[in-house]
């Protein structure tokens, strides 16, 4: 599974922070989706432009599922992604300028 997933990405993300990757940190559409899922703990379905190496794909359909811990706060966000050949159309405006959570 991991090798198939890595072929859809421009570089490997395993074991790294999202903000360590150019175009994926604060201010990006992807970052904004994670911020919204973490601060408004409801499922979020979005479509974003695909920027990976596979030229036949133009967008993604993504489902963000916030996972709350014992303290009833979001501790994880589980994401499912489907690659699409169609353009992504309109993208929801996200609060992507939010400050990142401190790394532990």
């Amino acid at each position: 599974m991991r090798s198939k997933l890595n072929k859809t990405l421009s570089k490997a993300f395993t074991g790294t922070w999202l903000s360590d990757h150019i175009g994926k940190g604060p201010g990006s559409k992807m970052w904004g989706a994670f911020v919204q899922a973490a601060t408004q703990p409801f499922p979020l379905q979005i479509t974003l432009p695909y920027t990976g190496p596979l030229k036949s794909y133009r967008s993604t359909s993504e489902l963000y599922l916030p996972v709350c811990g014992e303290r009833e706060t979001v501790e994880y966000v589980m994401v499912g992604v489907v690659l699409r050949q169609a353009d992504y159309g309109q993208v929801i405006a996200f609060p992507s300028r939010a400050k990142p959570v401190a790394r532990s």
Side-chain angles (χ1 to χ4, degrees):
M1 177 69 178
R2 182 181 292 175
S3 63
K4 183 176 181 179
L5 174 65
N6 284 341
K7 290 177 185 176
T8 68
L9 304 170
S10 53
K11 64 170 95 171
F13 284 69
T14 305
T16 65
W17 295 95
L18 190 60
S19 58
D20 291 341
H21 300 275
I22 296 172
K24 307 294 184 206
S28 72
K29 293 176 178 84
M30 182 185 290
W31 185 271
F34 277 105
V35 169
Q36 182 167 330
T39 58
Q40 299 175 20
F42 300 100
L44 172 66
Q45 192 279 326
I46 61 169
T47 301
L48 296 175
Y50 172 72
T51 58
L54 303 176
K55 301 300 179 199
S56 61
Y57 297 105
R58 301 183 52 97
S59 66
T60 63
S61 181
E62 304 183 13
L63 181 62
Y64 289 65
L65 299 172
V67 179
C68 294
E70 293 177 10
R71 291 174 277 161
E72 298 185 18
T73 59
V74 175
E75 292 186 18
Y76 304 96
V77 178
M78 183 170 57
V79 182
V81 178
V82 174
L83 301 179
R84 301 179 43 175
Q85 294 179 334
D87 282 331
Y88 64 91
Q90 289 189 318
V91 177
I92 299 169
F94 296 111
S96 61
R97 300 282 182 221
K99 294 180 182 179
V101 176
R103 297 179 186 177
S104 53

